[in-house]
Amino acid sequence: MTAVAGRVAAGERGETRIADRVVAKIAAQAAKEAVVDPPENGASPRATVTVHRDAARVRVSLELGYPCDIGRQCGAVRSRVAQRVKSLAGMEVPEVAVQVERLHPATSGTQGRTR
């Protein structure tokens, strides 16, 4: 193929690189969206990412309300993070490690009452 006069061929234009911290922000937001019932006083999810070529390995730290199905919540986070990073950054996500840092007990309206 020949390039049109004054235009650079597609293979010679260069590449777009998305910074690790941008992918980490996408992952953290996706994790926040995936948590079904986030605790009131819980911190927002945090993510760290290692990007190698077109693949991102993600580690997400989050807090969950208790009681909850921790396995289901973590599975939903893994799935959502992989989906959003692929759709927004165009990267494969072979690994999403989810670390639950804290469980927040549900607050009940009976605390502080006397019988």
Side-chain angles (χ1 to χ4, degrees):
M1 277 190 200
T2 59
V4 177
R7 297 181 98 181
V8 178
E12 298 175 10
R13 289 187 204 145
E15 65 182 1
T16 301
R17 184 178 177 327
I18 300 172
D20 293 9
R21 65 188 173 115
V22 173
V23 179
K25 287 183 180 186
I26 292 169
Q29 179 61 37
K32 186 175 182 177
E33 294 167 0
V35 175
V36 176
D37 191 19
E40 288 181 25
N41 298 331
S44 292
R46 293 178 314 281
T48 56
V49 175
T50 303
V51 176
H52 183 67
R53 295 190 182 158
D54 290 333
R57 297 195 184 278
V58 181
R59 177 173 297 277
V60 177
S61 299
L62 50 83
E63 299 180 5
L64 296 174
Y66 182 81
C68 73
D69 185 344
I70 297 171
R72 185 175 53 78
Q73 291 272 10
C74 291
V77 168
R78 281 187 201 95
S79 176
R80 181 70 174 173
V81 167
Q83 172 197 18
R84 296 296 283 165
V85 170
K86 179 156 179 72
S87 68
L88 294 175
M91 296 179 182
E92 293 296 325
V93 184
E95 177 184 346
V96 178
V98 179
Q99 179 177 345
V100 179
E101 291 193 345
R102 186 174 180 193
L103 295 173
H104 292 267
T107 56
S108 68
T110 61
Q111 289 181 345
R113 289 187 187 172
T114 57
R115 294 181 187 231

